[in-house]
Structure formats: structure tokens, C-alpha cells
Amino acid sequence: MKRNLFRGVLLALGLLWAGASATAQTPVFKDGKYNPPLTLTFEIVQGAGTKFKPGEDYNNNVMSRWALENFGIKFQVAWTAPTGEALTNKLRLMLASGEAFPDVMRVNDVNVTKDLIESKKAKDITDEFNKYATPRLKEIYTKYPEALYQVKKNGRMYGLPVLTSGNVSDELMWIRQDWLDKVGMKAPTTIAELEKVMDAFMTKDPGGNGKGKTLGVSIGAKNALATWMSSTGFLIGSFGGVMAHDNGWGLAADGKTLAYKAIQPEMKKVLAKLNEWKNKGYIDPQFALMDESKASESFVQGKSGIIFGPPWMIEWPFGDLKKLNPDAQPKPFPVPAGADGSRGRFGEGMTQGTTIFSPDFKGVEGYLKMLDRWYGSHVAYGDAEFQYGMFEGYDYQMVDGKPVIDSTNFIDPSMYFPGLENYPSIAFIEYNIYEYLWQGGKPRNLAEKTLLAKTAPEKLQGGAIINSQNKYNMPNLFSGAPTATMSKKGEYLRKLEQDTFAQIIYGSKPVAYFDEFVKQWKANGGDAVTKEANDWYKSVSAK
Amino acid sequence: MLLPAVLLALVFNYLPFAGLAIAFQDFKPWKGLFDNTWVGFDNFSEMFSRPDALQVILNTLVISGLKIVFGLIVPFVFALFLNEVLSRGLQRFIQTLVFLPYFISWVILGGIMIDILSPSGGLLNNALGVFGLKPIFFLGDNNWFQPMLIVTHLWKEFGYSTVIFLAALMGISPQLYEAAEVDGANRVQQVWHITIPGLLAITIVVGVLALSNILNAGFDQIFNLYNPMVYQSGDVIDTFVYRVGLLSGNFGLGTAVGLFKSLVSMILIIGAYKLADRFAHYRIF
Amino acid sequence: MTRYKSPQHRIFCYVNNTLLVLLAVLCLVPMIHILAVSLSSKAAANANLVGLWPVDFTLDSYLKTIGNRNFVDAMITSFLRTGLGTVLGMLLVCLAAYPLSKENKSFRQRGFYSWFFIITMVFSGGLIPSYIVVQKLGLINSLWALILPGIVNTWLIILMMNFFKTIPKELEESAHMDGADPFTVLGRIYLPLALPSVATIALFMMVGHWNSWFDGLIYINDAKGYPLSTLLQTIIVQQDFTKITPDAATMENLSQRAVKASQIFIGAAPILLVYPFLQRYFVKGIVIGAVKE
């Protein structure tokens, strides 16, 4: 209680002080710096990955000192939430209770972004962006128009998208090279060859699991067939058609309108194939109730030699595999092609949430300048300031004039950056550099040199493979907030879909039932959803 | 003496009831509780017009109804038998051990159950295999899924619920037993004529109060165990509301469903209260 | 207790003891599995290779949780909230249950108040209005936000009231004749007589406070002020459904099965330590017999 009282007194004093300073001069951005310093309040996800040096916190750390020194911006955390979900919850509750929002907000939910814009709690930054954003920032943010869909309304810009790397979590094929060697086979390039390898792994048992204890491929379908790991996107893609997702939107054959993948005729063939694989024992009988991580366990345990997922799997979960079995050699390969040569893979989207500014925030100019300089830490630019990494003593140490990563004392300062909470990303650049380096290209700057030194060869190779297969990346093209019918019927339609697919794969319904499903899907709101998705697509792609 | 509880309930329970208005609105959080668009019973009809509405409600009722019934019987019987253990040390030891599973969250337990119940090498199926039985896909079979939910729920919770019955057992006056012994009643007769009637009142109370959860079938458990294979038998009101919320953060629907659940509970509680009053002459509250 | 020595009864005792012990073992085995996981290396635990014995024994998981910089603060917050919440809550429960346990004729509005409380048990305004109430009262970030909103626990009031009902009325009447006021009757007669029930209800209340984590997440704005259960929830990031595609670092963190397992023990230990202590009050009839003589 005493502590609360103490806090109250502090708060009162703080208010007095704030009142006093309000009468003082307002911060002006001059010569690249606010004078006097501008206070920037923000909310942030303080996850388990966020670490601080002793004595440091959000208001005082290497990043906040950097911002204060270089831009006269004083970080002040308003509140934290331990997970993205909790952050979204809190923002919703604040919307309802009418509390004041922080200056800069990291929003990770489409609906909340939409709500903030609609309720006029998001600042229109169109003019400031046009006036103050550096050419570098303008290129990054406007190169792919679809990245801005979430923050745009009537042609105005109400925040910045938080960009992903475009393909960092895209799907490729991981195979145990040591198993391939034991059975004397090469990595498959087609689905037919893949089936032969699965057969060999199961019958010849290179892992020594005992008869009937080896799976063909580790897949999990609890959340979706095509997903970020233990994915079946490659199989969907191998039958051609609009995309490699089960629950997403791709371009229809006309190249102009959106179509929902799960009701396309190719999907029927996918289900027939999975039913066949299920009967042959290629996949775990419980795959329908396994999520991405649970399904990957069989690979880590050495009970399966094939799994589909992103290049970073070499760090996790294969890090555990290597510890348990040092001889295991998972190697990345391109996704195999279907009978007609079609390929496709699960693709991640362009954005993961948004950065929203409160309407009263006066520091957009400074924030943009700061963001630009922060983008200099991206390997694509490798600005001198960040040539070895972010900050010495945090994400790298200097030993004998060389940058060294000390994984036990690794602290990631990018987690402190307001509104971003991550290192900056640029679409489709990172794996481009991986491919260049994998093919033997000499590092063009120190950042690339550092990258080469610290990246596992399998990940580098995986990145190169992903980059060379970029044309097969078919992400979900619908990135707006759910439309009216989606909100009302979307959940039921998805349930209908997952239910039907599971029944067909497990054989309790014939493959022909798929046609009945399509009919039901359309009748129960699917047609309306398709129309609304296309209306949205027209409205955003018009300009 | 009631004043503090009444005041606190008014502030923290009754005041928020204003929020039930959301059930009749197309609720946008920033507009405040009373300035939203009123949509009448749209949120309710959205729930009931789903082709699977009946199935979902039925699943909920069956799962949670069976959980309530067995959740009374099992701890009741267990407490009776535990009471017969003569060594007090052993009694407490057993009581402590069966209390343990209560603390395991379903996130962890879900993974363990998936392994134990797996048709390929799961513990249970291996055991059945000894008797020459074919492996059963417990969590992927609509005939098995609900029983599995009930059994695993009971296993996790019965130790905790037992405490109430043990407390009630302590409340039975020893003089009753002494008098019965004088009359020549044996142990079984004593249990039948004194112990069980002595526990009846508290059993009715716990049972009736449990009705307030009649439409909560246990979200954490089901969410961690269900899958598209068993939507037919395992999809319940809370899992469906969760999926809707995940998609669109639909507050109106969520509140409407909550209100519906409360109304059903209230009606059942009033009914049970009247029944107990009339037939057992016992006023629960 | 030593009155039944017939051979049938002896056989019954053996069978009964054996069955109950088996049942207890059935509850213990998964716990041992989780303990083994919590003491195993990260790789073995994540690959799901641990049975009932730790693989590559290590205490890392426990150190990781206890080494969290907010751990001690959270422990204190949890103890404060559980202690204060249980004391205040019990006070409230007893004060409310006592008048409600009276006959309708001696307390005319009894029916009204019973239903007044039942309604709070069945109906709920939902998260948004509850949050607004707490926020408008200025309780955000304070310990009271974790105690007050759920302090009126109808379920426990009704339970307590029913335990009170079993206490013979004559005792109270004789006390009244000696000039005792209701508070004295409650404190001197009801509470001592209903001790096993008071212990039970206190246990329920403590477990409830100790385990509850969602309120901490919503009403506390800073990890420093979290109660332990909320902190434990956050040491391993919960699966974040807002991110469609996670990355290696996030997943690495998310999938630390050994840490999750250790948290069960860290989280449950205080309650399990208190439990045997409370069991002392589950002593059959001694008090009642003593008073009646």
C-alpha cells in the first residue's frame, strides 16, 4: 500500500512537472533533432524474448539513449503487454473506456487497426510522409502497394505497415540427407519421386526405428493444411491452380478477380492424394489434431525424414535434432513439382500489423527520420553505423577488432523500438542476399560479411532456394479486415471446410463429396464472401 | 452484516450489467455503451441460424451435463470410501495425491493426452493391444471423443471437489453413529442411514450451483483436444465463439451468447430450487 | 475407529486401501512425467522423448523461471493478493452467509438477498464494462484491481451458508439469552463449529486467487506488478495467433516444454505446502462433540 501511495505522490509531482513544462517552449525539429527533447509515449509487447541489461528498461536503454542523442526523442513507455493477443485486448478495452492512447502504437490485429482509423484515433500521416520520409523509406513502403492496404482509407494514409521480409517463412522441403545416402536415393524433384523416397524411408528404415515406426512425411493440419511449418502447401501447389493455400485467396484464372482456394477443383485432387497417403501410412494417423509444432516432433525424434517449412527451421526445431542426434543432416530442397510440372508453396504475407500514431502526436517527422536511420541496420544497406550489428555489447561484442556473437549474453535491442518492436524488414531482399552469398558471391559490405559469418550454411542454402522459387510464392491476397459476411459467416464456412476435408482424407466420406461441399459453401454465404472480397480487392487495387 | 457484500456486488457485478446492452448492438468499442447501433436480436439470430446451431448446443449440454453428474457422483463416492480408510496418515496422503492433477493446465495436459491416446503407439492403445484389440483413434472418433472429455475432466478435477464432501462428512455429528451402534446397526447400515443422508444436502447444493455452468463445457480442455475430425461431437458454444472472435472480434455475438447462457442457467437453477424445495423440503439458498 | 474388526471388514479395508492407492498413483504418474520433463534438457523435452525419468538431468528450467527479474516481485504480489484477498474474502463470505443461513421467518428479506447474490453468479456484464468500472475507479495497476472485482463470490457464500445451516439452532438461542450480539455468535459459535468448512472455503479462495492470471494481464500495465501466475503465463510466450508466421526465435521460446513443466511445480508449490496444514482442520466432529457435552 505504501508503495501505491508513493507512486501516487510521484504521479502527482509528474503531473505538476508536465503542467509546468507545457508552458515552456514546444519541441521543434531543427537540424535533425528536437529541441527541447520531445517525449514519445508508446505501448509494446514485452515478450519473453525481450531482455534488458541490469539497470536498463524501456525508458533507459541503448536504443532510447541513441534516440535521445541523435533525434532529441525521449522514449517513455505507457504500458506493456506480454503477448500480442494481450496487447490487442488492451487496445480494444482502451477504445471502449475512452482512455488516452500512447503517441506511437504497434497494432497487430487488422480489426483494431480498422477500429482505430474509423474512430479517428489514428493520425492521417499522408502529408507528413510525403514531406518528411526519405527516398529510402518511400521506396521501402511504396514498392509493393498491397503492403499499404491496411493503413489506407480513401486514398489517405493512417499509419505505417509493419513489413515482413516477404518470404522469410515460405515453404521448402527438408530431407534428412543422411537417410537419403543410406537408402541410396537422390532428393525428389516431383511428387511421384517424393512418394518413392517416402516408401524407401518407411520400408528400409534408415533411422533404425523398427518396422512400421517410420512416417513418410511430418504434416499437421490442426490449423490449416498450408501453414508456416509441417505444411502441405507444396502438395496443394503441385496440382496447380490459384495458390498453395487451403484457406486463402488467390487470383482466379482471369488474373483480375479473387478466388477462394479451398473450393477449386484442384483441391479435390489434393484431398484424394492425402487420403491415399493416409491409407498408405505416409502420414501420422493423428495429423488432423496436430498443430505445426506437435507435427514437427516426429522429424526431431527421427521418426520421419521429410518435413516442409521455412529455412529457419535449421535453428528451430532442428537445433534440438542436432543435439539429440549429431549425425542427422537435414538439408533444404526446392518444393517438388506435380505431374504437370506445377509447383507452389505456402507464402507469408507482406505485413504483420501496423504502426499507428495518435492524432495529437507532434513527432511524426522525427519518427520517420529515426526510422530511416534504423533501416540502415538492415543488411540490404549495412550503414556504417550498424556494420557489425545493432549495438556493441548487446547483439554483438568486439573481440580483437572482430564482431562476435555471444549467444549467452545476446540481447536484442530491436525489441525496444517503439511501433516496430523488431528489426526493420524489407520485402524480398534478405533471401536475395542469401542467394548471392550462397552462390559464392563476395560480401559487398561489412553487413553481408557479418551475415555470412553468423548464418548456418543450411539456412543460407534454404534462403537461396526460397529466393530462386519466388515465382511459386502465392500468399493470401486478401489482407483487409474481415468483410461483413466474413464476420458473420466466415467461421462457419471454415468449419464446414475443415470438417469436410478431414472426413474425406480419413475416408469417412468419399472424394466425390467435395462437390457437395462446394455447393454448401456457396449457398451458406460463400458467394457473398467472394463478392465482398472482390469488392475490397477492386477498391484497394484501383489506385 | 450483509451490507459490505451487497455494496461490493452492486459496484463490481451489477454496474457492469449495463454492458449486456452490447448483446443488442452492432458494437463498436469506441462509441460507448449506449451510442452504438441497436440491432435488436440480430446477434442472437446469428447464433441460432447457423446450420449447426442445434448440434453445437446439444454437444455443450451433453458434455457439461455429464461432467456435472459424474462430477458429483465420483467425488461423493470417493469421499465415502476415503472416509473408510482407517489410517489417518494414508487418508491424507491419498487426498493430497488426487489433488495434484488439478494444477496441470490443459495446454500441457492436452499434449500428454494426445500422446497417451494416440492410435499409433499410445499408452492406452498399447495396453488394449495386449488383449488383442485393434487400436482406437480416441480423439478422432465421434463415438469416443465425448467419453474421453468426461473421463479426463473427472481425473483432473475430482480430487479438488472431494474436499467439499470431506468437509461435510466432518460436520456429521459423531453422536448419530454412536446412537446407531447402540441400536445394533452395522457399518454398511450406518453409511446408508447416516452418512449418505448427511451428505445429501450439500450434494444438492453443489449440484444446483453447478447448473450455472451448464453451458460451459470446458473451453481449455476441448480447445486443446478437439480437431476437425470430431467437430460433430466436440464443437461447443465456447469453441465456436472463440473462433468467431479470433476472426473478427465480434463483441455483440460474444455478449449475446453469454446472455443466452446465463438465461438458460437461471431458468434451470430456479427449476432445481423449486424441485428441491418441494420434494426434499430443502431450501438451497 | 477400532470398533469394526470382523473378517469381512478387514478384507474390505484391504481392498479399499489398495484401490484408493491405485487411484492416487494414477494421479501421480502424469505428475511424475511432468516433473521428469521439467528436469530434462531442452532438446529432449522438446522432442517429447522424456518418460518418467529425466533425460540429461538439469535444473535449467527452474533457474530460467526463478531467474526472471520480476520473479520476486511477482511472488510478493501473489502472496499479498492471496493473503489480503482471502482474509477480506472470508470476512465477506462469513458476514454474508451468517444472516442468509437464518430461517425466512427470522430474516424477512432473506429470499430477496439470496437471489440478489445468485444473479451475480449467473449473469455477467462481460469484460468491457468490468474493465470500465475498474478503470473509472482508478484501480488500474493497483493490488485492489486483483482483489475487489471478484470479491463477492456467491458460490462460496452459498456453500458456507449451507454449512452454517447444519449447526444446531439451540446453541445460538442460548447464546442470545446470555446477551451475545450477532457478531459474537458468529465469531464464538458458528466459526469454531464450522471449522472444516471454513478451511475448505478458505482453500478454494486461496487456490482461486493464486491461480488467477487473466485479471493481472488486463488490469496491470507493467510486468513488474504482475502476480506470479500472470508472470508464469508470460515467461513462455503464449501462442500468438495474431502473427500468422512466427520466426525461429519466437518458436524457440514458445516451445520450451521443460520450462512450462517446471512452472507447474513453481506455481503449485505454495498451495501444496499449505494444503496439509489445512488438512489438520478436517478433524472429525471433535469440536462439535466438545461443545455439546
Side-chain angles (χ1 to χ4, degrees), chain A residues 45 79-91, chain C residues 217-218 226 240:
Chain A
V45 172
W79 49 271
T80 65
T83 66
E85 233 174 335
L87 183 105
T88 301
N89 248 334
K90 183 85 186 168
L91 284 172
Chain C
L217 209 56
I218 295 296
Y226 284 158
D240 192 345

Side-chain angles (χ1 to χ4, degrees), chain A residues 382-451:
Chain A
D383 286 0
E385 184 183 7
F386 300 111
Q387 54 188 348
Y388 300 124
M390 289 175 265
F391 296 105
E392 188 188 341
Y394 288 80
D395 57 320
Y396 71 92
Q397 332 280 336
M398 292 304 278
V399 179
D400 302 333
K402 279 184 188 150
V404 175
I405 295 170
D406 172 7
S407 58
T408 50
N409 293 316
F410 184 86
I411 292 176
D412 182 358
S414 70
M415 302 278 199
Y416 314 151
F417 199 94
L420 204 59
E421 192 219 308
N422 212 333
Y423 51 84
S425 295
I426 309 170
F428 300 113
I429 296 283
E430 204 172 325
Y431 284 166
N432 200 12
I433 296 168
Y434 277 45
E435 190 177 7
Y436 169 78
L437 293 174
W438 175 249
Q439 288 170 345
K442 288 265 163 295
R444 290 162 290 196
N445 56 31
L446 268 168
E448 287 190 358
K449 203 172 165 186
T450 314
L451 177 82

